[in-house]
């Protein structure tokens, strides 16, 4: 979603005095200060976006009861959060908080607080102010002491290690004697037996790193014939050196732990073909990783890399490489050697200049460059002639290179969120059926210059969302002029218009009908809004009364 589109949604919500606003997965990178004008909101959901900060004006939303900020990139909160005194539910899961925000401790009416999937190492003493708190999720943090939670009189549920931790375990972590798991709704000790080590693999076991270290020295014999090791979602903070003894392994799953490094001995596992390290906290790989010459699948998404390890360039057999959701700004020259790649995922990084190594990746079939900072594509992208899927959404592309017309095998193209004005070059791609752009899947006739879109298409366009986008793109004046809109009524700043002969698909046949539109001007911003109202409306005053009594958001057709 572009900043302009977000401003329009906020304007609309201000006008209608909305109490709920849900902006799920809109790829929003920042909130405008105008969000603070939504003073009637009781629920605000900004789940799965790319927010790194919140504006101070969010503290103006003093009627908020619910604030969901799950899955963003927040490292702190503004002090003004403390003004949200009516807040009862706050979700900050899967962000990048390293310190518990002190402003939260002022929210004394909170009953639910979700902080799982962050990087906090301690809970402050001031958390004891949250006397109404009943539910707390702190799974996936690096906390070492939970004893302060005993001072919260109403706290019933504490989620830690992915399970509900009984009150007797709200202690210093070092005092917990063994790994814990959930059995028959009760937490019990996990007995580690030499003759039953298989029990530790392939099960959802919550264990401490020292238990893993206890197991692996004897694992080289026990697992001599095993090929797969699955230790995902175990809150592991390190992998013991002895993992290098498991030389028969061909697949290791270590995703969604808390690893910050790998032992050099991992380079001994030369039979590995699949290594999954997604969702950890890795910033580098040991140099020995280049020994994994048989590796074909390497997944490093969701870590903290700011550069690609050079050793990856030595893995000449790689076919699938995922480096998404890191902080990469460039690719190393060694990428030239990865000529066998079939799938490359570089989404959600900080790439601002186009990757220059695509000319050697001639076998590539799937390329994801979404949600970076690209302003242009490399001219050699046409060398990847076997591409069938290309995702470029969430960038800042203003044009497409001429060489893109060489991608004649392309069947899927995502351009959502780019400020492109000309799609006509895509007419050269014979297998491309539709493209994702402007929040819609556009059929071929829309692949032209956007200023060449025709108002007459409204007459036979059966897709309601496409009709709405046409109205937004073409504008009020052209629609009225080209489709001979007739004036029905005026009242104050509102004008009621009618357009005849619009095709719709209903009950397995085409029908033609008239649409009635209400034009209005927002007094606070000057934006012009065009809303569709029921066709029986003949009075502008009656139409605005109907709107104010509750219009579904997808009925809006807006032009600024």
């Amino acid at each position: 979603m572009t900043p302009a589109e977000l401003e329009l949604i906020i304007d609309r919500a201000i006008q209608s005095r909305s109490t709920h606003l849900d902006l799920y997965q809109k790829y929003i990178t920042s909130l405008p200060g105008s969000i603070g004008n939504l003073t009637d909101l009781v629920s605000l959901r900004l789940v799965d976006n790319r927010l790194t900060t919140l504006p101070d004006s969010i503290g103006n939303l003093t009627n908020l009861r619910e604030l969901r900020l799950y899955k963003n990139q927040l490292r702190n909160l503004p002090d003004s959060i403390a003004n949200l005194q009516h807040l009862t539910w706050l979700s900050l899961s899967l962000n990048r908080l390293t310190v518990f925000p002190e402003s939260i401790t002022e929210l004394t009416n909170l009953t639910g607080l979700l902080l799982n999937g962050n990087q906090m190492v301690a809970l402050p003493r001031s958390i004891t102010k949250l006397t109404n708190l009943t539910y707390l999720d702190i799974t996936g943090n690096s906390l070492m002491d939970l004893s302060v939670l005993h001072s919260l009189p109403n706290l019933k549920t504490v989620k830690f290690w992915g399970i509900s931790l009984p009150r007797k375990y709200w202690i210093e972590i070092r005092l917990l004697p063994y790994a814990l798991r959930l059995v028959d709704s009760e937490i019990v000790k996990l007995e580690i037996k030499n003759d039953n080590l298989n029990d530790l693999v392939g099960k959802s076991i919550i264990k401490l790193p020292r238990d893993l270290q206890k197991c692996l020295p004897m694992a080289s014999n026990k697992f001599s014939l095993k090929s797969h090791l699955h230790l995902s979602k175990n809150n592991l903070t390190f992998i013991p050196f002895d993992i290098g003894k498991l030389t028969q392994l061909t697949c290791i799953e270590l995703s969604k732990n808390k690893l910050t490094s790998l032992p050099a001995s991992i380079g001994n596992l030369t039979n590995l073909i699949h290594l999954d390290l997604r969702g950890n906290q890795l910033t580098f790989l040991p140099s020995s990783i280049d020994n994994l010459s048989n590796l074909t699948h390497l997944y490093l998404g969701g870590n903290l890399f700011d550069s690609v390890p050079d050793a990856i360039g030595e893995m000449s057999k790689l076919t699938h490489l995922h480096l998404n959701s890191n902080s990469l700004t460039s690719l190393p020259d060694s990428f030239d050697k990865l000529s066998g790649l079939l799938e490359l995922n570089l989404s959600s990084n900080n790439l601002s200049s186009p990757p220059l190594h695509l000319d050697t990746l001639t076998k590539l079939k799937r390329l994801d460059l979404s949600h970076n900072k690209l302003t242009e594509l490399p001219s050699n992208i046409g060398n990847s002639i076997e591409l069938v899927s290309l995702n470029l959404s969430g960038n800042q592309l203003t044009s497409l290179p001429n060489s893109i017309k060489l991608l004649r095998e392309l069947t899927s193209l995502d351009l959502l969120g780019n400020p492109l004005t000309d799609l006509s070059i895509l007419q050269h791609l014979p297998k491309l059926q539709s493209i994702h752009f402007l929040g819609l899947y556009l059929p071929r006739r829309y692949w032209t210059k956007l200023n060449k879109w025709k108002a007459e298409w409204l007459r036979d366009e059966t897709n309601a969302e496409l009709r709405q986008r046409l109205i937004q793109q073409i504008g009020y004046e052209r629609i009225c002029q080209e489709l001979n809109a007739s004036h029905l009524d005026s009242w104050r700043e509102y004008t009621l218009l009618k357009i005849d002969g619009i095709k719709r698909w209903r009950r397995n046949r085409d029908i033609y009908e008239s649409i009635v539109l209400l034009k209005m001007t927002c007094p606070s911003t000057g934006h012009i809004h065009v809303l569709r109202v029921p066709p029986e409306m003949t009075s502008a005053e009656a139409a605005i009364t109907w709107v104010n009594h509750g219009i579904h958001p997808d009925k809006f057709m807006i032009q600024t």
Side-chain angles (χ1 to χ4, degrees):
M1 176 176 289
T2 65
E5 289 172 328
L6 179 57
E7 286 279 11
L8 286 175
I9 287 176
I10 292 174
D11 281 345
R12 186 173 71 193
I14 293 171
Q15 271 208 3
S16 59
R17 302 191 67 177
S18 296
T19 57
H20 294 72
L21 182 60
D22 190 343
L23 295 170
Y24 168 74
Q25 208 176 59
K26 299 297 184 184
Y27 306 110
I28 300 169
T29 57
S30 63
L31 290 177
S34 59
I35 195 79
N37 296 329
L38 296 170
T39 53
D40 292 296
L41 283 185
V42 296
S43 173
L44 176 59
R45 300 185 178 189
L46 293 159
V47 173
D48 201 0
N49 284 286
R50 302 182 69 193
L51 297 172
T52 56
T53 59
L54 298 176
D56 287 337
S57 62
I58 203 164
N60 298 342
L61 309 182
T62 53
N63 286 310
L64 271 188
R65 267 65 170 176
E66 174 192 57
L67 178 58
R68 295 182 184 265
L69 295 161
Y70 167 87
K71 204 174 183 182
N72 280 279
Q73 300 172 23
L74 298 171
R75 297 182 183 276
N76 50 52
L77 297 179
D79 292 342
S80 61
I81 284 286
N83 297 337
L84 309 182
Q85 288 297 304
H86 290 103
L87 205 63
T88 61
W89 190 268
L90 175 60
S91 173
L92 288 161
S93 308
L94 294 178
N95 278 278
R96 298 182 179 179
L97 300 174
T98 57
V99 177
F100 189 99
E102 279 292 333
S103 53
I104 292 178
T105 65
E106 302 300 323
L107 306 176
T108 54
N109 284 308
L110 270 187
T111 59
L113 177 58
L114 282 69
L115 293 163
N116 49 300
N118 283 281
Q119 303 163 30
M120 297 183 299
V121 296
L123 297 174
R125 187 67 194 169
S126 54
I127 197 175
T128 57
K129 297 179 184 178
L130 304 180
T131 53
N132 288 303
L133 200 65
T134 62
Y135 183 94
L136 176 64
D137 192 340
I138 45 178
T139 292
N141 287 279
S142 301
L143 302 170
M144 298 306 295
D145 190 353
L146 308 181
S147 55
V148 69
L149 300 180
H150 284 285
S151 299
L152 298 175
N154 292 303
L155 190 57
K156 305 298 183 185
T157 303
V158 173
K159 285 291 189 73
F160 193 56
W161 291 338
I163 54 179
S164 294
L165 204 62
R167 183 174 288 268
K168 67 179 179 179
Y169 291 114
W170 301 357
I171 57 178
E172 289 185 60
I173 304 304
R174 66 182 179 84
L175 299 179
L176 292 174
Y178 286 107
L180 302 174
R181 67 172 173 172
L182 198 61
V183 177
D184 297 329
S185 302
E186 292 183 1
I187 293 178
V188 298
K189 293 182 182 179
L190 173 64
E191 298 295 333
I192 299 172
K193 299 177 181 179
N194 291 359
D195 61 348
N196 198 23
L197 192 59
N198 248 6
D199 288 345
L200 299 183
V201 179
K203 294 187 178 180
S204 181
I205 299 171
I206 306 300
K207 31 189 218 61
L208 299 178
R210 63 176 177 181
D211 293 314
L212 181 61
Q213 192 164 19
K214 180 178 178 181
C215 300
L216 284 177
M218 59 191 175
S220 58
N221 293 325
K222 182 69 181 181
F223 286 111
S224 59
L225 299 178
K226 301 296 181 182
S227 60
H228 292 65
L229 180 61
H230 298 273
L231 290 170
S232 298
K233 299 181 182 179
N234 276 297
N235 286 319
L236 302 178
T237 58
F238 74 98
I239 299 298
F241 190 84
D242 286 315
I243 197 171
K245 297 179 180 180
L246 306 181
T247 55
Q248 299 302 312
L249 286 178
T250 60
C251 173
I252 296 181
E253 299 273 355
L254 287 166
S255 63
K256 297 182 180 178
N257 283 291
K258 296 159 69 174
L259 303 174
T260 57
S261 64
L262 297 176
S265 61
I266 201 166
N268 298 341
L269 308 182
T270 54
N271 288 308
L272 271 187
I273 60 174
H274 180 110
L275 179 57
D276 189 348
L277 295 163
R278 289 174 295 177
N280 282 284
Q281 300 169 25
L282 299 170
T283 57
F284 69 97
L285 295 178
S287 58
S288 62
I289 204 83
D290 60 10
N291 294 335
L292 306 183
S293 57
N294 288 307
L295 207 62
T296 60
H297 291 65
L298 178 58
Y299 301 98
L300 295 170
N303 280 282
L304 303 174
F305 293 105
D306 55 18
S307 62
V308 179
D310 285 329
I312 290 179
E314 304 301 321
M315 300 175 182
S316 59
K317 292 186 180 180
L318 273 183
T319 59
H320 293 69
L321 176 59
H322 286 210
L323 289 160
N324 54 295
S325 302
N326 282 285
S327 301
L328 305 178
T329 56
S330 63
L331 302 179
D333 292 338
S334 59
F335 249 61
D336 289 345
K337 303 176 184 179
L338 302 180
S339 57
L341 273 185
L342 302 177
E343 180 173 300
L344 176 59
N345 189 341
L346 294 166
S347 63
S348 300
N349 279 286
N350 295 318
L351 299 172
S352 56
S353 54
L356 301 177
H357 310 282
L358 297 179
D359 54 343
T360 62
L361 307 182
T362 56
K363 296 181 180 179
L364 205 60
K365 292 187 178 296
R366 289 173 293 278
L367 175 61
D368 192 340
L369 291 167
S370 62
H371 304 293
N372 279 282
K373 299 177 180 179
L374 300 176
T375 57
E376 60 178 340
L377 289 179
S379 58
N380 60 8
I381 194 170
N383 291 1
S384 300
I385 57 175
E386 295 190 22
L387 267 184
V388 296
S389 175
L390 177 59
N391 191 341
L392 299 168
S393 61
N395 282 286
Q396 301 164 28
L397 302 174
T398 56
S399 63
L400 298 173
N402 193 53
S403 62
I404 202 170
K405 65 185 181 183
L406 301 177
L407 305 180
R408 300 181 67 82
E409 298 298 316
L410 201 65
T411 60
S412 173
L413 178 61
D414 196 332
L415 296 169
L416 182 67
N418 286 282
L420 294 164
T421 58
D422 188 357
L423 307 176
S424 55
I425 197 170
L426 301 179
Q427 295 283 354
H428 294 275
L429 303 178
K431 295 187 178 181
L432 194 58
Q433 298 301 312
S434 67
I435 60 173
H436 194 204
F437 186 56
L438 299 176
L440 299 164
Y441 287 93
L442 299 180
R444 190 171 286 268
R445 76 169 173 183
Y446 292 89
W447 306 353
T448 180
K449 291 182 179 180
L450 270 58
N451 61 10
K452 299 294 185 182
W453 285 11
K454 300 177 181 180
E456 66 187 51
W457 293 347
L458 280 170
R459 294 196 184 278
D460 62 2
E461 180 54 69
T462 58
N463 184 305
E465 291 182 337
L466 265 175
R467 288 201 307 271
Q468 176 177 331
R469 178 56 68 176
L470 265 172
I471 290 175
Q472 290 178 319
Q473 186 63 41
I474 295 172
Y476 164 76
E477 294 296 337
R478 273 185 61 196
I479 290 173
C480 293
Q481 179 180 356
E482 295 181 20
L483 297 185
N484 299 316
S486 58
H487 180 276
L488 294 180
D489 188 34
S490 295
W491 182 69
R492 295 181 182 174
E493 68 268 30
Y494 306 103
T495 303
L496 199 64
L497 303 165
K498 181 180 180 182
I499 299 175
D500 293 315
I502 302 298
K503 181 193 286 188
R504 292 191 65 183
W505 178 256
R506 180 179 293 175
R507 295 181 181 176
N508 298 320
R509 64 188 180 95
D510 290 334
I511 64 170
Y512 290 85
E513 64 181 14
S514 299
I515 62 172
V516 177
L517 304 174
L518 180 67
K519 174 199 168 189
M520 50 193 282
T521 303
C522 177
S524 62
T525 64
H527 292 163
I528 295 174
H529 299 259
V530 180
L531 289 72
R532 186 174 180 178
V533 296
E536 63 269 17
M537 291 289 178
T538 57
S539 161
E541 183 179 6
I544 192 60
T545 300
W546 179 83
V547 169
N548 288 336
H549 277 79
I551 182 170
H552 194 275
D554 64 13
K555 296 288 186 183
F556 276 82
M557 295 179 283
I558 306 168
Q559 181 255 332
T560 58

